[in-house]
Amino acid sequence: MAAKGGGAQGKRPRRQAGSVPSMQQGSERALSIERIVATAVELLDAEGVDGLTMRRLADRLGAGAMSLYWHVDNKEEVFDLALDSVLEYRGPQGGETADWRGAIFHMLEDWRAGMLRHPWSASLLPRRALGPNILSRLELLGRILYGAGVAEADLNGAIWSLWNYVIGATITRANFDLSDADMAAAQQRLAHLSEKYPTIERARLLLDNDWDGAFRKGLDFLLDGLVPK
Amino acid sequence: MAAKGGGAQGKRPRRQAGSVPSMQQGSERALSIERIVATAVELLDAEGVDGLTMRRLADRLGAGAMSLYWHVDNKEEVFDLALDSVLEYRGPQGGETADWRGAIFHMLEDWRAGMLRHPWSASLLPRRALGPNILSRLELLGRILYGAGVAEADLNGAIWSLWNYVIGATITRANFDLSDADMAAAQQRLAHLSEKYPTIERARLLLDNDWDGAFRKGLDFLLDGLVPK
DNA sequence: ACCTGAACACCGTTCAAGT
DNA sequence: ACCTGAACACCGTTCAAGT
């Protein structure tokens, strides 16, 4: 329900990173956090948020339904881990680039693209824990903005403004993606109500929008305001 | 799951608007869409999204669990109706004000405030149907922007940019609201990781932010860009 | 250390039935 | 026209038990 704190700090002893599985070739069969998380992502991609069920996840892993609970505290933790696993950033980490604007665009567009590849992720992000990969992105953002001349007192405001924009844009876009047909139907229904909604009906608000272009344009405007020349 | 289209167009005959209840004083007891929606909002306010259950809702209404299904197709419709009921705008509807900036600020801040009063609503909005109250707000927004000089070709982009910003800001804020304690704990944990996240640790990103101020500032920047001088 | 089945207290929704 | 209980096919999670 509520947003929760940092990384995965287990209460129970978990599998050591370096330990060799007892079966020599059977690393496919043994349960592990890594396999659980990867399979959860597959399941979420295929079936959406409501499709992720502890029972179905276990099934897909060829395990008994309750086996998951040795590796994981509860379903929420599965969500947290799946989410963060999808948000890793392998990009230039430099905070001292001359091209701060390019660096911000690169990271934020990569972020958005990653979430659109996993359409369940954007809606989940603001409600869930801030995992290490998200924190790294925020840290990078802060570093770039600071390097670009944003005053320390304005840093949090600037970071959150960009976060808000990216989150909002991506959640909206992801849900439109999921339901092109629905939006077309809605626009059609709008036509019958054109006395009530003439402006958005005429603009065909629910159809054919250039989401990527609009995203970049809004981001430009925001950065113009947030970063002093 | 997917965003769906316009208003509540029932397939089944619903209670007529003007019909008089057969019990003279007993309008409290009879089930009706209005009572169902109002009670659903109460329940959501009290227990959150996961707290809304068809069975519990019926209980609160003093009805049998299955009685709801005569008035409503399914749980999703309850969500749609509850959501839209919370988003009504009683404000200046004029699209030809001289003070377009003030009109936009008023509507958007009212929108945000309404959603913060019902913290479950913001996360729900982008995933659910576009009810009549939301469409009215979008229509008003379009009318004001057009009146302020936004070209017809840029109208959709401008509307969605503002939508994205409001949605993102409110969802984030609502979830921080729900979990002050969690965020404080997270910030404390960040302190232990200050080698990994020095910038946001020092800025105390997870603490004490001026959300209202940041919202207005970002909105100003966006409008500066979206509306030609 | 790792996995399991049975069991509990829930869900949303269908259906056939009541008034 | 409006409401109902029984029943179905699911949930997440606890617990005591297996290897």
Side-chain angles (χ1 to χ4, degrees), chain B residues 30-31 55 63-64 66-67 70-71:
Chain B
L31 238 38
R55 282 150 143 99
M66 295 305 100
S67 312
W70 194 88
H71 300 269

Side-chain angles (χ1 to χ4, degrees), chain A residues 30-31 55 63-64 66-67 70-71:
Chain A
L31 237 39
R55 282 148 143 99
M66 295 304 101
S67 311
W70 195 88
H71 300 270

Side-chain angles (χ1 to χ4, degrees), chain A residues 94-101 104 139-152 155 227-228, chain B residues 199 202:
Chain A
E96 64 295 309
T97 329
D99 181 19
W100 59 267
R101 205 176 188 101
I104 287 182
E139 169 68 19
L140 178 58
L141 198 52
R143 213 154 58 219
I144 300 175
L145 289 169
Y146 187 70
V150 174
E152 198 141 358
L155 205 50
V227 181
Chain B
T199 314
R202 194 154 47 105

Side-chain angles (χ1 to χ4, degrees), chain B residues 14-91:
Chain B
R14 300 276 167 73
R15 204 159 145 9
Q16 266 95 326
S19 75
V20 181
S22 41
M23 298 284 172
Q24 57 276 63
Q25 57 94 267
S27 83
E28 276 294 47
R29 281 270 57 90
L31 238 38
S32 67
I33 301 252
E34 293 77 20
R35 273 190 76 218
I36 291 174
V37 172
T39 309
V41 170
E42 278 175 36
L43 191 51
L44 284 162
D45 286 350
E47 316 270 357
V49 196
D50 296 336
L52 179 63
T53 272
M54 294 304 264
R55 282 150 143 99
R56 271 195 266 191
L57 178 54
D59 239 46
R60 214 175 238 248
L61 286 158
M66 295 305 100
S67 312
L68 300 174
Y69 285 89
W70 194 88
H71 300 269
V72 130
D73 280 347
N74 48 39
K75 194 184 175 182
E76 305 233 307
E77 194 182 340
V78 176
F79 273 125
D80 289 344
L81 294 172
L83 222 207
D84 203 61
S85 85
V86 139
L87 293 172
E88 195 183 346
Y89 184 51
R90 314 176 178 75

Side-chain angles (χ1 to χ4, degrees), chain A residues 106-137:
Chain A
H106 187 274
M107 195 274 272
L108 294 184
E109 292 202 292
D110 169 272
W111 188 359
R112 176 166 172 274
M115 292 195 286
L116 289 178
R117 245 177 277 126
H118 306 278
W120 47 273
S121 63
S123 313
L124 227 50
L125 178 51
R127 296 185 284 171
R128 304 301 324 155
L130 299 172
N133 284 327
I134 304 162
L135 288 175
S136 291
R137 283 184 190 260

Side-chain angles (χ1 to χ4, degrees), chain B residues 205-221:
Chain B
L205 179 65
L206 270 27
L207 250 33
D208 288 333
N209 291 294
D210 175 17
W211 296 103
D212 297 5
F215 177 75
R216 276 192 295 272
K217 236 160 90 172
L219 191 49
D220 252 327
F221 296 149

